Amino acid sequence: MPIITFIRPDRRAERIEAEPGESAMQAATRHGVDEIVAECGGNAMCATCHVYVDDQWIGRLAAVGDEEDALLDGTASARQPGSRLSCQIKITPELDGLVLRLPERQI
Amino acid sequence: MGLSDFAKETPWRPQSIILEADPPAHTRTRAVLNKVLSPAVMKQLRDGFAAAAEAKVDELLARGSFDAVADLAEGYPMSVFPDAMGLKQEGREHLLPYAGLVFNAFGPPNELRQSAIERSAPHQAYVAEQCQRENLKPGGFGACIHDRADAGDITAAEAPLLVRSLLSAGIDTTVNGIGAAVYCLARFPEEFARLRRDLSLARNAFEEAVRFESPVQTFFRTTTKEVEIGGCRIGEGEKVLMFLGAANRDPRRWSDPDRYDITRKTSGHVGFGGGVHMCVGQLVARLEGEVMLAALARKVGAIEISGPVKRRYNNTLRGLESLPVTFTPA
């Protein structure tokens, strides 16, 4: 199982086991990572599952789609170069070790 | 949309170019509404919507006893949404009857649908007129849709039809969502007390009301090819009716599904639908719901149901005709 590490704004880290094929958002909500709100349930329509992808990983993810790009412009915490919506990050075995930082706010 | 198949029957109004369309045509029109109703736009609206919610609650507290459907659930969205659309003052009384018509018209072809359509002419005429550019104030959702036609994202002929979509689905939905939330908080005072102790729960308290009551109970889809769903084979061009309210109370998905719990993790409920047609106005609905519940929690100490609760019947929507309440100040 790929391991993903979520790092909270206060730097506390949580390592969780993700299933290949699910999204990083689904893995987070399944494991009770409350900072991922995911109001729209993974339909890329709300921008409340925002994460900052660690520099070393950002280039290894599929590119940001148009819808996601527009939503990222409205995130509650400021958009940064590593900003992604975790519902759009599909977990694959190659993403074992992925590090995602959580923003201060989702709403 | 609805029980009738527009591939085989004439629709009661010109077909929607977003709800009654599939990708790739849908992708283009949907992108326009996504942009007009984006999280970035909601940030700009937030303060104004919150101030209007506070003002509405102050007004209702001064009255003490009132009908929470007409005066709050309808009164609050009517005080913010038409302005956000950029509508003129005159004629706004057509908005709620038009929305009731749209949701009754989904069918089945019963008395509710028949009488709504028979009485629809003035409401349809009003809506058609307000969708035109010259009737929409610059900066509102409606004018922003027309601006997308200038940018070449849609044609000038498509813009009024997208404005119509917001006038169809932007008001009765939030009316019944806010009505559901107030009805929940009135029936479950311990949950209202939790909300009063922690105002940050306002947004989730609204979301949970949408799950619990599912103001939009059902939605039709049409199969575009033969499919198998849950072991059942369905042919091409068949109507499938989704029971959103049932999914939102499914014990296989939700623990203690019949309990209204404002701290429940609500992500994954289907009260706003799902997939590419998921409610495009969900961010507006959440904004209205959140700021209204936060205002109630801040200013109201107790909500008491003070008269007979009457249900309103609609082919698609679940909500109330009347909810007499008395507010006690905090």
Side-chain angles (χ1 to χ4, degrees), chain B residues 137-307:
Chain B
K137 201 171 152 196
F141 298 151
C144 288
I145 291 171
H146 282 278
D147 291 345
R148 302 319 304 173
D150 296 341
D153 296 345
I154 46 172
T155 67
E158 287 172 325
L161 282 172
L162 283 185
V163 177
R164 193 192 68 179
S165 293
L166 298 194
L167 295 180
S168 301
I171 192 91
D172 228 5
T173 46
T174 51
V175 165
N176 285 294
I178 291 169
V182 173
Y183 191 33
C184 284
L185 294 172
R187 276 176 297 166
F188 309 113
E190 67 285 5
E191 293 301 296
F192 186 51
R194 285 169 98 187
L195 175 59
R196 293 189 59 221
R197 286 193 296 272
D198 182 357
L199 295 178
S200 73
L201 292 171
R203 197 167 171 99
N204 205 61
F206 176 72
E207 201 74 25
E208 168 70 347
V210 174
R211 179 200 70 85
F212 185 78
E213 287 289 340
S214 298
V216 178
Q217 282 279 297
T218 54
F219 240 93
F220 285 98
R221 291 283 184 264
T222 312
T223 55
T224 56
K225 58 181 181 187
E226 191 179 276
V227 285
E228 196 177 306
I229 304 172
C232 177
R233 187 157 292 278
I234 302 168
E236 183 188 337
E238 297 289 338
K239 283 286 169 179
V240 180
L241 181 59
M242 257 67 61
F243 282 78
L244 309 178
N248 282 343
R249 298 268 192 123
D250 188 337
R252 294 168 297 181
R253 173 62 178 77
W254 306 100
S255 63
D256 210 356
D258 297 331
R259 181 172 134 72
Y260 175 70
D261 171 5
I262 66 169
T263 61
R264 184 190 296 276
K265 295 201 190 326
T266 51
S267 176
H269 80 77
V270 292
F272 292 105
V276 299
H277 290 290
M278 188 181 186
C279 175
V280 75
Q282 58 185 280
L283 302 179
V284 186
R286 290 196 186 98
L287 175 59
E288 288 184 24
E290 176 192 350
V291 297
M292 175 45 76
L293 295 201
L296 290 173
R298 204 173 292 122
K299 292 170 179 283
V300 179
I303 305 172
E304 189 201 341
I305 298 176
S306 49

Side-chain angles (χ1 to χ4, degrees), chain B residues 49-177:
Chain B
F49 275 41
E54 302 260 335
K56 179 58 72 182
V57 174
D58 285 340
E59 173 203 321
L60 296 173
L61 269 168
R63 287 174 58 184
S65 295
F66 55 91
D67 186 341
V69 173
D71 302 326
L72 196 171
E74 294 178 359
Y76 174 62
M78 285 297 287
S79 77
V80 289
F81 184 75
D83 287 339
M85 281 296 302
L87 295 177
K88 293 195 285 196
Q89 288 294 332
E90 312 85 75
R92 290 180 177 187
E93 68 279 5
H94 289 286
L95 287 169
L96 285 169
Y98 182 76
L101 156 73
V102 169
F103 287 100
N104 268 325
F106 288 151
N110 52 10
E111 166 64 25
L112 282 171
R113 182 176 194 270
Q114 192 60 32
S115 67
I117 291 176
E118 276 165 13
R119 288 183 277 108
S120 70
H123 312 314
Q124 288 205 65
Y126 163 79
V127 165
E129 193 59 29
Q130 305 321 306
C131 292
Q132 303 305 314
R133 187 167 212 164
E134 62 272 21
N135 292 321
L136 294 159
K137 201 171 152 196
F141 298 151
C144 288
I145 291 171
H146 282 278
D147 291 345
R148 302 319 304 173
D150 296 341
D153 296 345
I154 46 172
T155 67
E158 287 172 325
L161 282 172
L162 283 185
V163 177
R164 193 192 68 179
S165 293
L166 298 194
L167 295 180
S168 301
I171 192 91
D172 228 5
T173 46
T174 51
V175 165
N176 285 294

